[in-house]
Amino acid sequence: MNSNYFQWSDELDIGVNQMNDEHKILISMMSKLHNAVEKSADKTVIEAIVNELAAFAIAHFEREEAYMESLSYPGLKQHKEIHKKLLDRFATQKARFFDEGCAVNSPFFEFLKVWLLSHIKGIDADYGKHQS
């Protein structure tokens, strides 16, 4: 498997430096997790990375929502609902991932990749365009 499964690219730039920096951290954490699984790291190490990723994602969503509120972004309510659904799906995929023994081919990694591509490039890019 490719050790660079998750990578930052300019197409993920939403035009908001703080959020871009946080997205880069999320991508780095996702890569760290993928690499740990690929190298058959101990399950406790993998679980710690997953929990770190979850905690950062929650904090990131809170900061992102506060930023959108500061812009009076009209899509804030919908974005909050999408964040909640993403966290619910994350919890479901995380449980499935651990049930499958932390397998690299788990749908968990596909979920993370879709999160990156559709969420950041899609709805996050929209609030980036809304800033004045």
Side-chain angles (χ1 to χ4, degrees), residues 1 5 34 37-38 93 97 100-111:
M1 286 240 162
Y5 190 75
H34 190 268
V37 171
E38 190 177 56
Q93 291 293 337
F97 175 67
E100 293 175 4
C102 305
V104 171
N105 62 356
S106 169
F108 188 60
F109 289 105
E110 288 306 313
F111 162 73

Side-chain angles (χ1 to χ4, degrees), residues 13-99:
D13 183 340
I14 64 166
V16 180
N17 290 337
Q18 178 190 353
M19 295 304 129
N20 282 341
D21 291 345
E22 291 191 17
H23 291 156
K24 289 174 186 177
I25 292 169
L26 283 168
I27 291 167
S28 175
M29 294 171 119
M30 290 175 184
S31 292
K32 180 180 176 182
L33 173 62
H34 190 268
N35 291 340
V37 171
E38 190 177 56
K39 293 176 179 163
S40 301
D42 187 79
K43 189 171 181 174
T44 58
V45 171
I46 293 169
E47 188 168 351
I49 298 169
V50 170
N51 290 334
E52 178 185 28
L53 174 60
F56 188 84
I58 291 166
H60 166 66
F61 287 166
E62 289 171 357
R63 285 187 293 270
E64 197 172 65
E65 290 167 8
Y67 177 78
M68 287 185 275
E69 194 167 343
S70 77
L71 295 175
S72 299
Y73 177 64
L76 176 60
K77 183 179 177 187
Q78 178 189 15
H79 207 112
K80 282 184 174 182
E81 290 171 11
I82 291 167
H83 282 166
K84 183 185 177 325
K85 287 178 185 174
L86 263 174
L87 292 174
D88 290 347
R89 284 192 60 213
F90 182 90
T92 300
Q93 291 293 337
K94 174 184 166 185
R96 197 174 289 151
F97 175 67
F98 284 112
D99 287 347

